[in-house]
Amino acid sequence: MSKKMCLLFMNSATFMIIAVFFVCVKAEPLADKQALLDFIHNINHSTHLNWDKTSSVCKKWTTVICNTEKSRVIALQLHSAGLNGQIPHNTLSRLTALQNLSLASNNITGSFPSGFSELKNLTFLFLQFNKFSGPLPFDFAVWSNLTVVNLSNNSFNGSIPLSVTNLTHLSSLVLANNTLSGEIPDINIPSLKYLNLVNNKLSGVVPKSLSRFPSWCFSGNNNLTFVNAYPVKSPNSHKKRKTKGLKPALLGIIIGGCVVGLVVIVVFLIVCCYEKCGEDRQLIKSQKNKEVSEKKEASESRERNKIVFFEGCNLVFDLEDLLRASAEVLGKGTFGTVYKAALEESTTVAVKRLKEVAVGRREFEQQMEMVGRIRHENVAALRAYYYSKEEKLMVYDYFEQGSVSTMLHGKRGVEKISLDWESRLRIAIGVARGISHIHAQNGGKLIHGNIKASNIFLNSQGYGCISDIGLTTMTSPITPPTLRTTGYLAPEVTDARKATPASDVYSFGVLLLELLTGKSPLLGSEEVVHLVRWVNSVVREEWTAEVFDVELLRYPNIEEEMVEMLQIGMACVVMIQDQRPNMDEVVKMVEGISRVNSGNRPSTESRSENSTPTPHAIDTPSNSLPL
Ligand SMILES: *[C@@H]1O[C@H](CO)[C@@H](O)[C@H](O)[C@H]1NC(C)=O
Ligand SMILES: *[C@@H]1O[C@H](CO)[C@@H](O)[C@H](O)[C@H]1NC(C)=O
Ligand SMILES: *[C@@H]1O[C@H](CO)[C@@H](O)[C@H](O)[C@H]1NC(C)=O
Ligand SMILES: *[C@@H]1O[C@H](CO)[C@@H](O)[C@H](O)[C@H]1NC(C)=O
Ligand SMILES: *[C@@H]1O[C@H](CO)[C@@H](O)[C@H](O)[C@H]1NC(C)=O
Ligand SMILES: *[C@@H]1O[C@H](CO)[C@@H](O)[C@H](O)[C@H]1NC(C)=O
Ligand SMILES: *[C@@H]1O[C@H](CO)[C@@H](O)[C@H](O)[C@H]1NC(C)=O
Ligand SMILES: *[C@@H]1O[C@H](CO)[C@@H](O)[C@H](O)[C@H]1NC(C)=O
Ligand SMILES: *[C@@H]1O[C@H](CO)[C@@H](O)[C@H](O)[C@H]1NC(C)=O
Ligand SMILES: *[C@@H]1O[C@H](CO)[C@@H](O)[C@H](O)[C@H]1NC(C)=O
Ligand SMILES: *[C@@H]1O[C@H](CO)[C@@H](O)[C@H](O)[C@H]1NC(C)=O
């Protein structure tokens, strides 16, 4: 190589290095980086942060998130970082593109940093569990995009600034556990879904615009009064409802024909009254009586109008809202009809209208309280209930995708969807965990009693989630034959109210077989064959492979797992209930099958658990598999 060429090469190499360096540097929000360094060097913190001056903010620094162009820092999540002391002046306020800021659960002192008013794009602000003190910022309106604000558990004092009423995107406002005083401003923001002002020193009247939140969102305050305990609908929400009136309202569906009957009765009574009570005195007397009873009725109906909600300071609605919501029948089940009710654009719930409730108010409420307290990712949460003599309603989350039964078999107007093997495994695992959790409630006395594919939905992670808990105990004893027709009821159960954990296990076994075979629990149209009997006969004839849903045969390398699930299913549906495994054992077995689950579980352990055949499992000769 000549000297010249060598020089040229060296030159271009240097140039490249400089270029690379330049590009690297260019892709850094340098000003934001310096602001963060200035911040962290001037506040005591016990947690080590890898904020190295020489490394890339966007790529290396934990707790920091940049925009896609890597030109600005848009999120800083410094919760529980052991920060101690005041926020240094003119540091974080330079991160003007910040959208998310969390400094929650530290020991930050001082007043609300005035520099935060520079963070005009701020959308989520979490400062809860610190030692901030002094007044809240005067002008909230500078954060026009602010959506979630949590300032709870600090020592903020003074009043809630009027300017919060200008935050049109606000959806959560949590100011609990401070020492705020004065009156609550009229926060008439339709998007506000969650409000918590618990434990402050607020006084005066709760504005009407906020009376749609339950009273405990305001509890622990000095001297707050409620003018109107019942939700007042904003004119806005009325308008919204009007524009989407195409679907019939729940009320319409429920009473439908009854109205005609009611009018006839009223007319009859009036005619009757005029004929019988000719005398004026009597008429006046009866009118007085009527007035008294009307008053009584009105107060009773107000009481009746109360829907009981579980947990939280979420937006509430009353019976009127519910009945007026646009509705659609989702299905008719053993215990009643389920409707989809759309309250507002963002709030859709499933409402179950119970029939044949054979217990009184007290027992009903006790059962609802027990079921309503259950919060588990594999149990569909009961959000609210309603009880009156003529109407019993249960309000659940609405699951967009429909039930597992609809997925497997379709229903009128809805095509079935193809569920792959992993989805079916996730359903089985989720439901098993859900039932096991239910069986652990109330000292082991809570039974599901009605496990079937149409009561099973998918949670956000695609795992099974079970609904409709504990209704069997409240219905009249006539129902077992009705239950029998669904094919999930254990043979020993003669009174649906006396379902047992073992009968739940049986029903779960039927569900497993349903997931495996893709067949409904009752087969055939003329001569009904029970799925359990069919599976048993096929397996006995050593045609095991024929059991499985043809749709599943598309997926490679799952035969072993399908056989494992078959064995578990058959163990659950043995005739003698003492020989069935309990639900905890079933959970372990089902989890043992799964590959999907190996990520968050010691898979070797569950594997070995599974490789010891359960005492109840029927040995399926794997050589009968032609696969
Ligand atoms: C950090 O803590 C030490 C000891 O408590 C204190 O002397 C110092 O002033 C603190 N520094 C800041 C910036 O708050
Ligand atoms: C705020 O966000 C918008 C949209 O993401 C962006 O265009 C704007 O530049 C941001 N403002 C600041 C000060 O960064
Ligand atoms: C901001 O926080 C919200 C809620 O915690 C989250 O959904 C969102 O992804 C976050 N945005 C960024 C840019 O981190
Ligand atoms: C706050 O400081 C106290 C001691 O002053 C300490 O006990 C506590 O753990 C700290 N809290 C956090 C969240 O760092
Ligand atoms: C904040 O709101 C403005 C309009 O008010 C909008 O242009 C901007 O994109 C929003 N910023 C973000 C981060 O959403
Ligand atoms: C606000 O903070 C409290 C306390 O940490 C927490 O319980 C609550 O879930 C938070 N709320 C929101 C909307 O982030
Ligand atoms: C708020 O607390 C500070 C002390 O932290 C006190 O000086 C101030 O007077 C209080 N303000 C109100 C309105 O109570
Ligand atoms: C709310 O915003 C309007 C218009 O921007 C302004 O005139 C008004 O003063 C603001 N109200 C409060 C309480 O900040
Ligand atoms: C307020 O403090 C109480 C009592 O410690 C606590 O139970 C509650 O969760 C706190 N609320 C919030 C929103 O932080
Ligand atoms: C939250 O604040 C309440 C009262 O302000 C206090 O009793 C409680 O201990 C605080 N909780 C935590 C976890 O700091
Ligand atoms: C509570 O508030 C009402 C009116 O808002 C007032 O008349 C009454 O004196 C207050 N009571 C106390 C104990 O502060």
Side-chain angles (χ1 to χ4, degrees), residues 19 38 55 132 210 229 231 264 301 318 346 364 368 408 421 475 624:
D38 290 348
S55 65
F132 285 107
L210 297 180
V264 170
S301 88
D318 65 4
S346 52
F364 183 85
M368 288 297 111
L408 283 174
W421 175 240
T475 53
S624 68

Side-chain angles (χ1 to χ4, degrees), residues 268-313:
F268 177 78
L269 282 180
I270 289 171
V271 169
C272 180
C273 185
Y274 269 101
E275 274 182 0
K276 279 206 170 173
C277 3
E279 280 171 44
D280 271 6
R281 245 206 266 140
Q282 230 167 336
L283 192 68
I284 289 166
K285 199 177 155 197
S286 83
Q287 248 167 5
K288 249 190 194 157
N289 277 346
K290 211 171 126 201
E291 264 166 38
V292 169
S293 74
E294 257 170 16
K295 257 188 200 158
K296 209 174 137 204
E297 238 165 57
S299 78
E300 265 175 8
S301 88
R302 277 187 125 198
E303 188 52 38
R304 279 209 309 266
N305 237 2
K306 262 195 179 156
I307 298 182
V308 183
F309 288 86
F310 296 106
E311 88 172 3
C313 286

Side-chain angles (χ1 to χ4, degrees), residues 4 7 116 119 184 186 194 204 233 254 264 277 295-296 314 322 353 374 403 425 431-432 438 461 481 496 571 590:
K4 212 175 168 188
L7 248 169
F116 282 8
L119 313 178
I184 303 172
D186 187 7
Y194 188 94
K233 272 139 268 151
I254 290 181
V264 170
C277 3
K295 257 188 200 158
K296 209 174 137 204
N314 292 306
L322 198 58
R353 186 175 177 230
I374 301 176
S403 73
L425 264 178
V431 175
I438 291 166
Q461 280 91 48
V590 180

